[in-house]
């Protein structure tokens, strides 16, 4: 054998060894929970096995923990770690234990007052960096009322605190005993292609981002027993900002999207676009500032809604929502700079309590609102008595009586389409109201609205004269 041939053979062997070592290394980064002792029979509690796989993965520099197809893995609380991707193969189910004793107390807490029964959760992470939950499998909270009540405690599906670089993709999230997820003070978040169904128990919020920044949510569908997406700010020093939400479908018992309520911190730079809202009992966009923060610079565009009583419901008032808030009320700061454009809302299947409703308080205006290019279809039915209503309840502390600023505290509005109160800087252009049956109310009422511009208002395709836009 010539020297040249020997060199070629040695070179090929060397390449084969490198390929073999690389393959072993790649295989080592993918860890099947079955290899760590998971029974995956839908009955046995596999918490220790799954946690061992997660810990091994992060201790070896990161990688993927696999829940295999066709298996049901039941666990109590799992702690996600840095560098770990939890991958649920198509047909795989990660299912929460039906026993509250399997859930850890070391998962921080729910930030709303009077709700400590929601402190526990199925998946928790704190201080973790660069982790993901993905795949076409399902995470089932198993949160049915036969398993969990307020007395036993109702665990959320997920809670992440002070984490960074998080990806949640494609998974199906169902049956939480409380919220689907709470994201506290996290940054660089991508949520894409997930499906949420949360009707197994009460308070089935979808995605709640509290004091988070640089959040992108897209191509998701929600069917929730409470607000589908919430933006919150429970810490006065940690704002909720730089949020984009696009190409999503919302169906909810309460609000499609709520911004605020839990609002000790500031909110800034939010866009919502190309979304649909349907069969929502309260509001499509529910925007509420009441705990001393500020709120500004938000754009909502290209939205369609059907059977959504209040397409836009905005309140500016005072009320404690956070569990850590002091007893004394914070001073009211500012709520300003909002644009709502290109909306089609079909509420012909609802009753007369269907309207756009925005309100501040006397001496505390919401500032700089723009509504343009809106079609609003309603059933009508407002009476002359409704049209004559004045001195409607304000959202004062006395009226709120310790709870939230809800529409029911005000009741039927004196307008069939749009009611605004305590606003400074209101621009409305091309707002078209279509009423199916007789309604004695005017399409638009402005009460204590300053610096307004109103043009191209239509009622059943006929332009509304300026004297028929009621100003008080």
């Amino acid at each position: 054998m010539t020297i040249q041939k020997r060199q070629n053979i040695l070179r090929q062997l060397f390449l084969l060894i490198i390929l073999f070592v690389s393959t072993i290394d790649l295989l080592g980064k993918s860890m099947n929970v079955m290899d760590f002792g998971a029974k995956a029979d839908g009955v046995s509690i596999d918490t220790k096995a799954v946690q061992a796989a997660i810990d091994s993965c992060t201790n070896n520099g990161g990688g993927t923990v696999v829940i295999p197809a066709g298996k049901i893995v039941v666990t109590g609380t799992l702690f996600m770690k840095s560098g770990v991707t939890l991958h649920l193969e198509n047909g795989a189910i990660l299912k929460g234990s039906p026993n509250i004793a399997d859930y850890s107390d070391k998962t921080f807490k729910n930030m709303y007052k009077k709700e400590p029964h929601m402190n526990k959760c199925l998946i928790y992470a704190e201080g973790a960096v660069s982790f993901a939950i993905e795949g076409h499998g399902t995470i089932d909270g198993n949160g049915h009322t036969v398993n969990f009540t307020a007395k036993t405690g109702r665990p959320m599906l997920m809670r992440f605190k002070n984490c960074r670089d998080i990806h949640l993709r494609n998974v199906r999230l169902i049956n939480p005993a409380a919220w689907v997820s709470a994201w506290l003070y996290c940054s660089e978040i991508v949520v894409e292609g997930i499906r949420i169904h949360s009707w197994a128990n009460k308070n089935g919020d979808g995605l709640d981002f509290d004091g988070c920044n640089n959040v992108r949510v897209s191509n998701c569908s929600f069917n929730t027993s409470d607000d589908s997406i919430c933006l919150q700010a429970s810490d006065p020093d940690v704002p909720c900002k730089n949020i984009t939400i696009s190409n999503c479908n919302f169906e909810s018992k309460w609000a499609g999207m709520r911004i605020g309520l839990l609002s000790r911190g500031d909110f800034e730079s939010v866009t919502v676009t190309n979304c649909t809202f349907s069969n929502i009992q309260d509001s499509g966009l529910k925007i509420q500032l009441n705990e001393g923060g500020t709120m500004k610079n938000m754009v909502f565009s290209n939205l369609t809604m059907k059977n959504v009583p209040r397409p836009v419901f905005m309140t500016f008032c005072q009320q404690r929502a956070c569990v850590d808030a002091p007893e004394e009320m914070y001073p009211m700061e500012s709520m300003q700079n909002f644009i709502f454009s290109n909306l089609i809302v079909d509420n012909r299947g609802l009753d007369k309590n269907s309207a756009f409703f925005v309100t501040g308080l006397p001496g505390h205006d919401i500032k700089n609102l723009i509504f343009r290019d809106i079609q609003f279809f309603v059933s009508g039915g407002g009476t002359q008595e409704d049209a004559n209503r004045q001195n409607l309840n304000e959202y004062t502390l006395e009226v709120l009586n310790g709870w939230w600023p809800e529409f029911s505290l005000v009741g039927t509005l004196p307008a069939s389409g749009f009611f605004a109160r305590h606003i400074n800087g209101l621009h409305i252009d091309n707002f078209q109201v279509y009423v199916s049956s007789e309604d004695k109310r005017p399409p638009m009422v402005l009460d204590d609205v300053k610096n307004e511009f109103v043009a191209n208002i239509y009622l059943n395709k006929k332009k509304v004269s300026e004297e028929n836009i009621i100003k008080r």
Side-chain angles (χ1 to χ4, degrees), residues 89-100:
E89 292 185 341
N90 205 344
I93 299 175
L94 176 63
K95 192 170 187 177
S97 166
N99 187 350
I100 193 66

Side-chain angles (χ1 to χ4, degrees), residues 16 24 86 111 200 237 239 246 308 313 316 322 381:
L16 284 171
I24 293 297
L86 180 62
M111 296 307 296
D237 298 320
S246 61
V308 181
F313 179 30
F316 184 27
C322 183

Side-chain angles (χ1 to χ4, degrees), residues 309-310 312-313 352-359 382-390 392-393 395 407 409-421 439-442 445 472:
R310 279 153 296 283
V312 177
F313 179 30
K352 64 183 179 181
N353 291 312
S354 172
F356 288 72
F357 182 19
V358 296
T359 178
T383 65
Q384 190 60 52
E385 182 181 1
D386 297 331
N388 293 338
R389 287 196 73 200
Q390 297 193 40
L392 281 70
N393 278 345
Y395 288 119
F407 172 77
L409 297 175
V410 174
T412 300
L413 299 173
S416 62
F418 190 101
F419 181 74
R421 180 174 64 175
D439 197 309
K440 297 293 187 180
R441 300 170 296 177
V445 174
R472 299 173 177 171

Side-chain angles (χ1 to χ4, degrees), residues 158-171:
M158 296 183 285
R159 182 181 292 121
F160 307 135
K161 179 175 180 278
N162 291 327
C163 297
R164 177 167 47 87
D165 296 330
I166 313 168
H167 291 78
L168 179 64
R169 286 196 171 102
N170 299 325
V171 292

Side-chain angles (χ1 to χ4, degrees), residues 255-291:
M257 182 170 178
R258 184 200 287 270
I259 302 175
L261 194 61
L262 194 63
S263 51
R264 297 175 74 204
D266 298 334
F267 300 79
E268 180 179 358
S269 301
V270 176
T271 68
V272 180
T273 189
N274 298 345
C275 295
T276 68
F277 299 73
S278 60
N279 303 320
I280 292 173
Q281 292 186 23
D282 184 46
S283 306
L285 302 170
K286 193 170 187 177
I287 307 171
Q288 302 184 298
L289 185 64
N290 50 272
E291 284 194 294

